[in-house]
Amino acid sequence: GQSLEQPSEVTAVEGAIVQINCTYQTSGFYGLSWYQQHDGGAPTFLSYNALDGLEETGRFSSFLSRSDSYGYLLLQELQMKDSASYFCAVTYKNAGNMLTFGGGTRLMVKP
Amino acid sequence: DADVTQTPRNRITKTGKRIMLECSQTKGHDRMYWYRQDPGLGLQLIYYSFDVKDINKGEISDGYSVSRQAQAKFSLSLESAIPNQTALYFCATSDSRTYGDEQFFGPGTRLTVL
């Protein structure tokens, strides 16, 4: 089946930069999305990459390389409030336009 | 006011009981989804609907059914609840006209089946 791989946990200090990687099964898909979820909360959309390259939105950036079946979320100037789980997701063309989520990366930001 | 609402927010029930979870949205979106999330894991798609007359099974539809009563309402039913259906359930919506198909999630329903 379709699957996405992410590290389960990442720890970083306040003010630092962290990169969360996502690898996916090579097949036709429309784009790679990232969602943030705080403990007890609902997932919220962060970014979407349809084309290769870097998309920047404030402190967060997302990157996609279709040739490498790989993407990442880059968080800069980390703040304590960035402690959350981050999920990558793709819509595979042969899966009825369903969004498939990775297992999530739990980011812990320490002072 | 929340754009995507779910009721109830918490529910404890017993094995074999029929349960309905409801989702309403005021965003005017055509697409609606039901996901399940187990502790420490990602989201798994149960069912999705691209318009009122369109219902599709997701990855884990066994033991669940849905009804799209109107564009704004999408309900999830567990006909005979079992303990391994204990999970956090999210409803989500999206607009097919929007680039990237961003999904907007409700606050979730925490379901416990004893």
Side-chain angles (χ1 to χ4, degrees), chain B residues 31-48:
Chain B
R31 297 180 172 184
M32 298 187 74
Y33 312 80
W34 275 104
Y35 290 92
R36 167 183 171 150
Q37 186 175 36
D38 293 284
L41 298 179
L43 294 142
Q44 294 177 283
L45 184 63
I46 307 172
Y47 272 95
Y48 62 106

Side-chain angles (χ1 to χ4, degrees), chain A residues 35 37 42 45 48 50 87 96 98, chain B residues 37 42 48 99-100 102-103 106:
Chain A
Y35 286 78
Q37 185 182 28
F45 175 83
Y48 175 75
F87 297 90
M98 294 189 299
Chain B
Q37 186 175 36
Y48 62 106
Y99 174 76
E102 174 184 351
Q103 294 193 12

Side-chain angles (χ1 to χ4, degrees), chain A residues 25-59:
Chain A
Q25 180 180 343
T26 303
S27 66
F29 69 98
Y30 294 110
L32 179 70
S33 301
W34 288 92
Y35 286 78
Q36 178 192 61
Q37 185 182 28
H38 287 98
D39 283 348
T44 56
F45 175 83
L46 289 177
S47 67
Y48 175 75
N49 291 68
L51 304 175
D52 282 5
L54 193 68
E55 294 279 345
E56 298 181 67
T57 308
R59 294 188 296 113

Side-chain angles (χ1 to χ4, degrees), chain A residues 1-110:
Chain A
Q2 318 287 6
S3 65
L4 297 91
E5 298 292 329
Q6 307 178 232
S8 59
E9 278 191 11
V10 174
T11 301
V13 297
E14 213 172 359
I17 299 172
V18 71
Q19 179 175 312
I20 300 173
N21 298 324
C22 174
T23 57
Y24 55 85
Q25 180 180 343
T26 303
S27 66
F29 69 98
Y30 294 110
L32 179 70
S33 301
W34 288 92
Y35 286 78
Q36 178 192 61
Q37 185 182 28
H38 287 98
D39 283 348
T44 56
F45 175 83
L46 289 177
S47 67
Y48 175 75
N49 291 68
L51 304 175
D52 282 5
L54 193 68
E55 294 279 345
E56 298 181 67
T57 308
R59 294 188 296 113
F60 294 1
S61 303
S62 57
F63 173 83
L64 175 64
S65 170
R66 288 178 181 266
S67 59
D68 295 323
S69 299
Y70 160 74
Y72 65 73
L73 180 69
L74 189 73
L75 298 86
Q76 303 183 72
E77 302 172 18
L78 280 174
Q79 301 175 8
M80 298 296 291
K81 67 179 182 179
D82 297 330
S83 292
S85 292
Y86 294 84
F87 297 90
C88 61
V90 297
T91 305
Y92 288 104
K93 293 180 180 179
N94 65 349
N97 290 322
M98 294 189 299
L99 194 62
T100 301
F101 283 84
T105 298
R106 187 172 181 85
L107 171 65
M108 288 180 285
V109 180
K110 297 186 174 181

